[in-house]
Amino acid sequence: LAKTTQPISMDSYEGQEVNITCSHNNIATNDYITWYQQFPSQGPRFIIQGYKTKVTNEVASLFIPADRKSSTLSLPRVSLSDTAVYYCLVGPANQAGTALIFGKGTTLSVSS
Amino acid sequence: KAGVTQTPRYLIKTRGQQVTLSCSPISGHRSVSWYQQTPGQGLQFLFEYFSETQRNKGNFPGRFSGRQFSNSRSEMNVSTLELGDSALYLCASSLGTGGQFEQFFGPGTRLTVL
């Protein structure tokens, strides 16, 4: 499984755009990149997933360069409620028995 | 559609006892995974079940076990509880196994071992 590295913590202010980058240098051809968000005492929640280029949904964008060795989660105009831990995961498609490994994640703190 | 449900939500046990936690996945989901979350170790994978078969197991002692029933509901059991087993136990379900499937997490069971 590809190992991921992301910053331990980030600070931001309300209304700013936040970009969290995750490195996954040994990503495999059939690996997908997925980001989850977790609030205290709750289970993680899916944010966005991509394979290559750019993916956008109603809450975030995911930028993946051509070599796919990193990815960047972009949160536009964050609010206090975006304060959470963000996890980057890399896992192969259609491969039974392969566990998704959550790293330490990035703790995002948004202030007013 | 109802989400993933876990019971009980809170549990207090003493050392040496055993405990069984239950997870009901989203209807139609056949894969159930279990995680342990502690402040020091973060989210750690316990095991994954798909169609009643354990597909993968994390690095936990044999005191931790699980099973999945034909209706995809899953249980995990921890025997001979230790203080270090105090944690939030999370269950997640997905349509299938593999990195392309979104995992839907339940609210967790908070286990306290005294």
Side-chain angles (χ1 to χ4, degrees), chain A residues 32-34 36 38 41-46 49 87 89 91-104, chain B residues 9 35 37 39-45 48 55-56 88 90 97-108 110:
Chain A
Y32 278 75
I33 301 159
T34 311
Y36 285 82
Q38 186 179 28
S41 297
Q42 293 184 25
R45 184 181 68 169
F46 173 92
Q49 182 182 76
Y87 297 95
L89 283 78
N94 300 315
Q95 186 166 329
T98 302
L100 288 178
I101 306 299
F102 285 77
K104 297 295 185 183
Chain B
R9 292 293 312 279
Y35 296 84
Q37 186 167 34
Q41 298 297 319
L43 260 169
Q44 293 189 284
F45 171 77
E48 178 194 13
R55 293 303 181 96
N56 203 0
L88 179 66
L90 292 160
T97 62
Q100 80 275 33
F101 291 103
E102 176 182 349
Q103 291 200 48
F104 294 81
F105 284 80
R110 173 75 62 184

Side-chain angles (χ1 to χ4, degrees), chain A residues 2-18:
Chain A
K3 177 177 163 52
T4 61
T5 303
Q6 49 184 125
I8 296 296
S9 63
M10 293 182 69
D11 296 312
S12 182
Y13 291 99
E14 284 189 292
Q16 289 188 330
E17 178 185 73
V18 171

Side-chain angles (χ1 to χ4, degrees), chain A:
Chain A
L1 281 176
K3 177 177 163 52
T4 61
T5 303
Q6 49 184 125
I8 296 296
S9 63
M10 293 182 69
D11 296 312
S12 182
Y13 291 99
E14 284 189 292
Q16 289 188 330
E17 178 185 73
V18 171
N19 296 308
I20 307 174
T21 297
C22 178
S23 297
H24 27 79
N25 291 318
N26 59 338
I27 190 169
T29 303
N30 63 339
D31 281 344
Y32 278 75
I33 301 159
T34 311
W35 286 79
Y36 285 82
Q37 174 193 56
Q38 186 179 28
F39 299 111
S41 297
Q42 293 184 25
R45 184 181 68 169
F46 173 92
I47 302 175
I48 198 166
Q49 182 182 76
Y51 181 78
K52 62 180 179 180
T53 63
K54 176 185 174 183
V55 180
T56 298
N57 62 21
E58 64 276 8
V59 299
S61 293
L62 179 60
F63 299 91
I64 305 170
D67 65 7
R68 304 203 323 129
K69 292 184 182 299
S70 67
S71 59
T72 298
L73 173 71
S74 181
L75 304 171
R77 297 180 298 283
V78 295
S79 64
L80 295 176
S81 63
D82 292 317
T83 294
V85 180
Y86 292 83
Y87 297 95
C88 163
L89 283 78
V90 174
N94 300 315
Q95 186 166 329
T98 302
L100 288 178
I101 306 299
F102 285 77
K104 297 295 185 183
T106 297
T107 298
L108 173 65
S109 298
V110 181
S111 305
S112 57

Side-chain angles (χ1 to χ4, degrees), chain B residues 20-98:
Chain B
T20 299
L21 311 181
S22 181
C23 171
S24 292
I26 290 172
S27 178
H29 286 193
R30 297 167 63 191
S31 173
V32 173
S33 298
W34 288 89
Y35 296 84
Q36 180 196 66
Q37 186 167 34
T38 59
Q41 298 297 319
L43 260 169
Q44 293 189 284
F45 171 77
L46 279 158
F47 25 65
E48 178 194 13
Y49 287 87
F50 182 79
S51 295
E52 302 179 67
T53 302
Q54 187 179 88
R55 293 303 181 96
N56 203 0
K57 190 176 191 301
N59 189 25
F60 278 81
R63 300 185 296 107
F64 291 82
S65 63
R67 59 178 175 169
Q68 186 180 35
F69 302 96
S70 58
N71 61 358
S72 293
R73 189 177 70 84
S74 177
E75 289 181 347
M76 67 163 281
N77 184 278
V78 188
S79 62
T80 319
L81 284 167
E82 301 177 358
L83 295 178
D85 297 333
S86 294
L88 179 66
Y89 289 88
L90 292 160
C91 161
S93 76
S94 59
L95 282 170
T97 62

